[in-house]
């Protein structure tokens, strides 16, 4: 059973988590890190991601592990009246219900948003879906489909190559973050109104919002952004440049930073070259500028240039693997990996919650649960506690 004495900023908040795969579970894991008690309600077959492997650690899918620490698991078949009553009992004792069923999919169980917020007036009901609850309600929301349909793939990849997906299900992750923000805002508003409400987050809208300057530029001007590889549509130099052994990322956000760069490269005259004086000039002549920069970079390794340019205040970076990125964060004292020890003596390594509080710190008290491991404990909790007023 989860640690009911959590001391985080959300201590005392109970979340009935009916979500699966990534967006919803990622959302509730972040809230659990901050002290909320999350009861993960799974179908008897379990969350699909329990089977998504490799990799595997402690006989568990690391995909599942990455989004489910600090939770309790109970298996319920909503088709079964007794299990459905248990689901109701959990919700009656919860502040938040989160689910990612297709719109309308829970109505037959009495768990559609309009039904739950009427039956439990203080409940926050958070729904995640792919394309909203109107004309897109029948469409299944998979991250890869959203990347394709939103335009995210269209702007990702080399200019002369095919569209590419991102290296992680980034729309699911961003959706989880947006849902967490929405839940927190609804809980805060409830303190004022004493009333719950439902909220909905759909993956397509999140993808369009997360395209930020790309979608914003189209909305404002009709400009259709295109793939540019690792180049930036508005900044130059801003991307990878070939050094002697491998690429080095160089990022200049203004004219002063560009001048510092070319001075360190031994080509101060480039800052006054009419082709490169302003950011707009540099964007127009980016290939000529690339040739000038790489002509110098080829004489040293990316690491040597990184050490030298960073010391001079030029923003730059080698391109790390994921493992090297974790090691780099560790070298800065960020301690990105934390260990969770199970009651059985196993150790689970997980990535730290990125929010750092001065007092109410994130906690890592239980590893991702085995399927249904907390069923008896959750039922005992139901028997010993009263429904929320």
């Amino acid at each position: 059973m989860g640690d009911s004495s959590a001391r985080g900023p959300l201590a005392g908040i109970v979340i009935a988590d009916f979500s699966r795969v990534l967006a919803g579970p990622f959302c509730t894991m972040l809230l659990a890190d901050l002290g909320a008690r999350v009861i993960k309600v799974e179908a008897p077959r379990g969350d699909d991601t329990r089977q998504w492997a490799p990799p595997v650690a402690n006989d568990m899918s690391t995909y599942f592990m990455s989004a489910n620490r600090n939770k309790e698991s109970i298996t319920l078949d909503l088709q079964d009246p007794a299990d459905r009553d248990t689901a109701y009992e959990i919700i009656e004792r919860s502040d938040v219900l989160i689910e990612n069923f297709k719109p309308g999919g829970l109505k037959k169980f009495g768990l559609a948003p309009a039904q739950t917020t009427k039956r439990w007036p203080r409940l926050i009901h958070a729904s995640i879906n792919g394309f909203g609850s109107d004309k897109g309600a029948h469409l299944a929301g998979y991250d890869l489909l959203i990347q394709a349909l939103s335009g995210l793939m269209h702007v990702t990849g080399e200019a002369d190559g095919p569209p590419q997906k991102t290296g992680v299900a980034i729309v699911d992750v961003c959706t989880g973050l947006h849902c967490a923000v929405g839940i927190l805002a609804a809980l805060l508003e409830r303190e004022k109104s004493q009333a719950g409400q439902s909220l909905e987050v759909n993956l397509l809208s999140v993808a369009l919002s997360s395209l930020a300057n790309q979608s914003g530029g189209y909305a404002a001007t009709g400009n259709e952004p295109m793939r540019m590889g690792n180049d930036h549509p508005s900044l130059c130099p801003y991307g990878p440049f070939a050094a002697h052994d491998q690429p080095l990322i160089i990022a200049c956000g203004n004219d002063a930073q560009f001048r510092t760069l070319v001075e360190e490269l031994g080509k101060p005259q480039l800052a006054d070259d009419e082709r490169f004086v302003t950011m707009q000039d540099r964007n127009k002549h980016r290939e000529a500028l690339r040739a000038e920069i790489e002509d110098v970079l080829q004489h040293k390794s990316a690491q040597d240039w990184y050490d030298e340019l960073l010391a001079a205040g030029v923003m730059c970076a080698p391109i790390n693997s994921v493992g090297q990125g974790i090691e780099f964060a560790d070298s800065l004292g960020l301690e990105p990996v934390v260990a969770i020890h199970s009651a059985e003596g196993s150790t689970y390594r997980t990535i730290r919650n990125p929010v750092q509080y001065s007092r109410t710190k994130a906690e890592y008290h239980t590893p991702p649960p085995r399927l249904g491991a907390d069923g008896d404990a959750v039922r005992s909790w139901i028997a010993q506690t009263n429904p929320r007023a």
Side-chain angles (χ1 to χ4, degrees):
M1 187 74 169
D3 182 2
S4 61
S5 62
R7 297 178 297 277
L10 297 181
I13 297 296
V14 179
I15 298 176
D17 184 3
F18 286 71
S19 68
R20 303 93 77 200
V21 186
L22 184 55
F26 188 76
C27 166
T28 55
M29 180 183 72
L30 298 180
L31 301 178
D33 291 347
L34 302 180
R37 177 178 234 163
V38 176
I39 300 174
K40 185 176 180 68
V41 179
E42 301 185 68
R45 69 179 183 277
D47 190 313
D48 287 349
T49 60
R50 288 184 180 273
Q51 308 303 320
W52 291 9
V56 171
N58 299 96
D59 298 319
M60 184 179 289
S61 159
T62 60
Y63 199 115
F64 176 81
M65 289 172 60
S66 70
N68 287 287
R69 64 178 173 242
N70 291 338
K71 301 180 185 179
E72 306 153 44
S73 172
I74 182 173
T75 57
L76 297 176
D77 181 356
L78 294 181
Q79 302 281 356
D80 180 270
D83 279 4
R84 191 160 60 247
D85 285 343
T86 300
Y88 294 157
E89 295 277 9
I90 293 171
I91 296 168
E92 284 178 353
R93 290 158 176 78
S94 299
D95 300 279
V96 179
L97 163 63
I98 179 171
E99 45 84 11
N100 58 352
F101 286 74
K102 278 188 179 180
L106 287 174
K107 186 175 182 180
K108 60 185 176 181
F109 303 122
L111 294 176
Q115 296 169 314
T116 59
T117 52
K118 181 179 180 180
R119 180 170 178 176
W120 300 292
R122 283 178 53 81
L123 183 71
I124 307 300
H125 185 137
S127 301
I128 295 175
N129 57 56
F131 300 90
S133 53
D134 192 5
K135 295 179 181 179
H138 65 290
L139 299 173
Y142 288 88
D143 181 278
L144 181 59
L145 302 181
I146 305 295
Q147 289 198 37
L149 289 165
S150 66
L152 175 56
M153 287 181 66
H154 181 73
V155 298
T156 305
E158 295 297 329
D160 56 355
Q164 295 283 332
K165 73 177 184 68
T166 61
V168 69
I170 193 65
V171 180
D172 275 342
V173 172
C174 289
T175 299
L177 290 168
H178 278 279
C179 191
V181 171
I183 288 170
L184 295 175
L187 287 170
L188 179 61
E189 192 279 337
R190 191 181 69 174
E191 292 298 306
K192 306 170 187 176
S193 66
Q194 298 301 305
Q197 62 179 306
S198 63
L199 62 98
E200 178 182 307
V201 185
N202 73 79
L203 274 69
L204 181 58
S205 293
V206 168
L208 293 174
S209 174
S210 300
L211 278 164
N213 59 299
Q214 299 283 43
S215 55
Y218 178 83
T221 68
N223 175 69
E224 184 68 82
M226 301 297 293
R227 289 186 297 286
M228 298 180 65
N230 290 311
D231 283 347
H232 193 286
S234 305
L235 300 176
C236 184
Y238 198 94
F241 293 82
H244 176 69
D245 56 343
Q246 61 183 6
L248 176 75
I249 297 294
I250 295 176
C252 292
N254 56 50
D255 298 340
Q257 291 175 356
F258 175 67
R259 183 175 292 275
T260 300
L261 168 66
V262 295
E263 288 175 351
E264 289 302 313
L265 295 179
K267 289 192 172 184
Q269 69 275 11
L270 294 180
D272 298 311
D273 188 311
E274 63 181 9
R275 297 172 298 171
F276 312 133
V277 172
T278 70
M279 188 68 76
Q280 288 188 337
D281 294 330
R282 295 192 288 278
N283 279 316
K284 290 178 183 177
H285 302 97
R286 56 176 69 223
E287 290 309 315
L289 180 56
R290 178 180 301 279
E292 293 281 3
I293 292 174
E294 291 184 341
D295 179 60
V296 179
L297 292 183
Q298 66 176 319
H299 298 295
K300 296 181 184 179
S301 71
Q303 185 63 48
D304 287 342
W305 279 118
Y306 171 66
D307 294 336
E308 182 176 327
L309 293 176
L310 193 64
V314 176
M315 298 299 101
C316 60
I319 300 176
N320 286 336
S321 67
V322 173
Q324 289 170 327
I326 290 174
E327 291 171 1
F328 178 66
D330 196 49
S331 74
L332 300 178
L334 297 177
E335 300 179 347
V337 177
V338 294
I340 305 176
H341 304 290
S342 72
E344 295 76 28
S346 299
T347 299
Y348 295 73
R349 288 165 58 82
T350 186
I351 298 297
R352 180 182 297 277
N353 188 304
V355 180
Q356 299 290 323
Y357 289 87
S358 62
R359 293 187 296 103
T360 53
K361 302 183 185 300
E363 297 182 341
Y364 313 91
H365 45 80
T366 56
R370 300 291 177 180
L371 179 60
D374 305 290
D376 290 343
V378 170
R379 289 181 171 86
S380 177
W381 167 73
I382 289 173
Q384 296 173 21
T385 56
N386 296 320
R388 298 284 190 180

